Structure formats: structure tokens, C-alpha cells
Amino acid sequence: MSIAVAIDGPAGAGKSTISKSAAKELGFIYVDTGALYRTVGLAASRRNIEPVAGEEVNNLLESIKVELTFNDKGEQVVLLDGEDVSAFIRTPEASMMASKISAIPQVRAYLLDLQRNMATTNNVIMDGRDIGTVVLPNAEVKIFLTATPEARATRRYKELVEKGMDVKYEDILQDVITRDYNDSHREIAPLKQADDAVLADTTEIDLQGSIDLVVGIIKERM
Ligand code: DC
């Protein structure tokens, strides 16, 4: 039987970096579900489609192919109609588009099987917003990873500056607050801690400390 670890939490809590390292340490596959929403968001912006529920979005979903693959280093690569779109889905605009498109029920339904299938055949650490509540409600381990909006904005700001992007801290903080609001107030699969999830707050903990904390929680429950 395969083991599933669900890690949910708000944007910028360090979910992907921490989950990736924890997966490596435990020999699990890491699945970043946010990349799937970002990819659908990118498809919508490329076609100038407004991210609101309706025919246009239905037609979009019928006409695109989103695939979850892994490269030879074991890293996730999401393909949009066969194209590796990794380089296009990490900008602040793509983040906002992903947040909007992820509130649409058809989009969530469209991506559900893709996510669940990954967990049926592999030991996975899957991160997102609704993994422990909706995608994998029977996951063996559930962790809700969070930090204050300021701590999360500071981390994201540094990340983007290191990539050479010209961004302002205040804009990033505002984006974090807006996305938190959107992600936790949408009607379908809102961001919330599952009743049986362990809360991990990384505001005062550095990266290595956060990885150790998460790996410790997983090992304890496995
Ligand atoms: O984790 P991320 O920042 O890459 O996610 C991008 C957006 O996708 C985020 O605003 C919320 C949404 N998302 C979601 O609704 N459900 C998930 N399981 C993962 C992401």
C-alpha cells in the first residue's frame, strides 16, 4: 500500500521547498498541485479568457491537455499541450491568475483525478490548499503549514529578487493578503486546516528547522 502525506497551507509558507526536501529524505514523490492551477491559469491568459465560471472556461478545459510528469532528476514538470511551461507559471501575474482560476468548480473537478491518480501508485508528499480536506481525505499524514503574512511576503520577495525580478515588498505583501483571502473565502474547497491535520507554524523557524519539523511529524505518524 502506498503512503500519502498531505501538506496544505497559505501561499509562501514554504510548502514546496519543505515538501521537496522532505520527499527526498523519505524517498517519496513530491507533487506540487499549485503548478497545475498555475498551468490552467496560464492557458486562460494566453487565450485572453477571463477567469470566471462559464462556457468559455468549459471550452478551454475541453481543448487543453495538462500532464503531470517528472524529469530524470525526479522533479515535477507540468506540460501544457506537450509544452514544458515551468518558466512561465512562477510570475506574480501567474500567481494571481492561478488564485482566480482555482475558485472555479469546473477547474477543480478537472484537476482532481490527475492529483488522486498520483497517490494511488506512489508514496507521495502532495502540497496544495485542499489536499487533506478534499483530494486525499484519507491521507496517512496531514500537515497544515503556515507562517504570518509578513514572514511569507519577506520570503517570496527575497526569492523573486534573487531571480532578478524587479518587485516591491509592499506589492508582494498585498498579493499574499489578497491571495489568502481569495483562497480561504472561495465557496469550493477553501483553504482550511483539516480536523486531523497537525499545525506547523514556521514564522520563527528557518528552512532546515522547518524541514526537520515536517520530516519528524511524518516519521512519527508513519
Ligand atoms: O501553491 P501555489 O502558490 O503554487 O498555488 C497557486 C494557486 O493555486 C493558489 O492561489 C491557490 C491555488 N491552489 C488551489 O486552489 N488548490 C491547490 N491544491 C493548490 C493551489
Side-chain angles (χ1 to χ4, degrees):
M1 204 194 80
S2 54
I3 296 170
V5 177
I7 301 194
D8 292 301
K15 292 191 302 291
S16 60
T17 314
I18 294 166
S19 302
K20 217 180 281 175
S21 300
K24 206 167 182 188
E25 205 170 319
L26 297 163
F28 284 24
I29 282 179
Y30 164 58
V31 179
D32 163 15
T33 63
L36 300 172
Y37 290 94
R38 288 169 178 271
T39 300
V40 176
L42 177 72
S45 20
R46 282 182 173 178
R47 290 172 203 213
N48 288 319
I49 289 172
E50 286 300 317
V52 283
E55 259 328 279
E56 260 195 334
V57 169
N58 285 340
N59 293 341
L60 172 76
L61 295 175
E62 274 169 26
S63 68
I64 58 172
K65 190 171 178 201
V66 177
E67 290 165 280
L68 190 53
T69 63
F70 292 87
N71 66 17
D72 48 16
K73 287 190 213 138
E75 297 158 345
Q76 175 180 310
V77 176
V78 180
L79 304 179
L80 172 60
D81 298 325
E83 176 195 355
D84 174 1
V85 291
S86 312
F88 307 111
I89 59 172
R90 298 287 160 201
T91 63
E93 294 73 29
S95 301
M96 212 38 91
M97 191 67 172
S99 180
K100 287 181 184 159
I101 206 106
S102 67
I104 303 177
Q106 296 101 296
V107 173
R108 305 204 70 84
Y110 174 82
L111 295 174
L112 194 56
D113 286 346
L114 194 60
Q115 298 171 79
R116 284 190 177 151
N117 289 344
M118 292 310 299
T120 53
T121 43
N122 306 286
N123 288 336
V124 292
I125 294 187
M126 192 175 286
D127 84 18
R129 302 294 187 288
D130 62 336
I131 309 305
T133 51
V134 177
V135 180
L136 305 174
N138 298 319
E140 281 71 17
V141 185
K142 297 181 186 178
I143 298 173
F144 194 81
L145 199 66
T146 191
T148 61
E150 290 75 16
R152 292 184 280 124
T154 303
R155 291 174 194 162
R156 183 94 358 146
Y157 173 74
K158 284 186 185 156
E159 234 173 72
L160 294 173
V161 168
E162 269 164 30
K163 284 185 188 157
M165 290 188 193
D166 181 20
V167 286
K168 288 201 190 80
Y169 170 78
E170 289 70 25
D171 294 345
I172 305 277
L173 178 61
Q174 198 46 56
D175 274 10
V176 163
I177 292 169
T178 307
R179 280 220 283 155
D180 280 1
Y181 186 86
N182 290 348
D183 293 348
S184 50
H185 285 79
R186 66 179 178 224
E187 267 175 39
I188 180 162
L191 168 68
K192 73 171 195 313
Q193 185 179 344
D195 293 339
D196 50 352
V198 180
L199 179 68
D201 188 323
T202 68
T203 304
E204 304 284 345
I205 314 176
D206 68 4
L207 182 59
Q208 191 53 52
S210 306
I211 296 166
D212 294 345
L213 176 67
V214 165
V215 170
I217 295 171
I218 297 171
K219 283 188 174 161
E220 207 178 279
R221 264 142 241 270
M222 250 163 57

